[in-house]
Structure formats: C-alpha cells, structure tokens
Amino acid sequence: MIFQAVGEGRPYPDHGYETVTQWSDVPPRQVRLDELTTTKRTLDLDALLAEDSTFFGDLFAHVVSWRGRLYLEDGLHRAVRAALHQRQVLHARVLTLPD
C-alpha cells in the first residue's frame, strides 16, 4: 500500500492557507508516503505526466497535520510519482493544526 488511507475531502478545519506565498512560510521536511492520508480519491493523469507540473506552483507537497494524522492536501501527483520511482518519502510543507 502506498498511502495510509485514501480519503475524500478535508476532514480538518479550514486553515486559511490559500496561496503559495502563505505556504512558503512553512518549512519543508520529509514525510513517509505510508503515513499520509489523501484528501482526493482521483488523480489527473495530465498532472502526473506533465514535465512542468510544478513550474507555476510550489515545489513541495502540502500536508496538514491534525489529530495525529497527516493529510496530503496538495501534491497527490508528486506523491504518486515518488512511489513510481520506488521512493518511500516525499518532501512536503507540513502545517500543524491544533486539535
């Protein structure tokens, strides 16, 4: 199994981080793919296969830590690409929300 779970939607409260500029204040770190719960059930193959998929966005995936779980909010294509390359970790910005 690649991820801990596959979810649909964001179960955590709204954190207000909407722009790449806001997320850039969160330092990136490594997270294990098998500790992530996705917030999307489907993947756009165009995003997965695009060579410039991060050209206009953040280089790092966006993860929200809430109630002891890590939710992959943005960057599903990066995570799947990492798994296809046999990598077990992903570099992500992890925003921790209070319980």
Side-chain angles (χ1 to χ4, degrees):
M1 180 181 253
I2 297 172
F3 302 111
Q4 183 177 51
V6 175
E8 180 66 37
R10 301 174 182 177
Y12 46 85
D14 184 19
H15 48 66
Y17 282 62
E18 299 293 329
T19 67
V20 173
T21 303
Q22 290 170 310
W23 276 99
S24 68
D25 290 334
V26 180
R29 67 176 177 97
Q30 288 186 345
V31 293
R32 292 183 50 88
L33 294 176
D34 62 2
E35 293 177 348
L36 295 172
T37 297
T38 69
T39 59
K40 298 175 185 169
R41 297 187 78 77
T42 58
L43 174 67
D44 180 6
L45 282 177
D46 286 336
L48 178 66
L49 301 175
E51 292 182 23
D52 64 346
S53 64
T54 60
F55 185 75
F56 295 106
D58 197 340
L59 292 175
F60 302 101
H62 297 167
V63 172
V64 174
S65 176
W66 184 62
R67 294 188 176 172
R69 293 194 77 162
L70 295 174
Y71 295 95
L72 180 61
E73 180 175 293
D74 182 50
L76 180 58
H77 63 290
R78 291 179 191 89
V80 171
R81 192 177 298 146
L84 289 172
H85 285 101
Q86 305 295 317
R87 288 182 249 150
Q88 296 178 353
V89 296
L90 176 70
H91 288 86
R93 299 184 189 278
V94 180
L95 177 66
T96 302
L97 298 181
D99 292 342

